[in-house]
Amino acid sequence: MKRFFGGLLIGIGILTMTTSGLCSLAAIVMAMPMLFQTPVMLWIMALGGIPFAAGFGLLTLGRRLLRQPNGYEE
């Protein structure tokens, strides 16, 4: 059961990071003319960075769950 939840967390983390990264990339491409204005870049980083960080946290938690020992010895 632990392997299932670990794999599920990894999958959700990868999907969250991918969609957040692609959305941020699209926002950067659309905002190219005014990209180097500080507020625009900060908004893109804040709105895309928070879900990306959450996805990375889920990925890390899932990897940690998969690497834990089973708790019993054979």
Side-chain angles (χ1 to χ4, degrees):
M1 196 69 160
K2 186 170 61 171
R3 288 184 55 183
F4 173 74
F5 285 121
L8 187 65
L9 287 176
I10 288 175
I12 291 172
I14 288 173
L15 287 175
T16 303
M17 289 171 53
T18 302
T19 55
S20 168
L22 288 174
C23 185
S24 295
L25 181 66
I28 287 172
V29 168
M30 288 179 9
M32 243 349 163
M34 52 186 174
L35 185 63
F36 296 107
Q37 295 175 359
T38 306
V40 173
M41 186 56 104
L42 288 177
W43 273 105
I44 292 172
M45 287 171 47
L47 294 178
I50 293 170
F52 190 86
F56 184 74
L58 289 173
L59 176 76
T60 305
L61 183 63
R63 287 180 64 195
R64 209 176 270 176
L65 257 175
L66 287 178
R67 292 184 181 197
Q68 280 182 351
N70 288 336
Y72 61 89
E73 296 181 27
E74 296 179 19

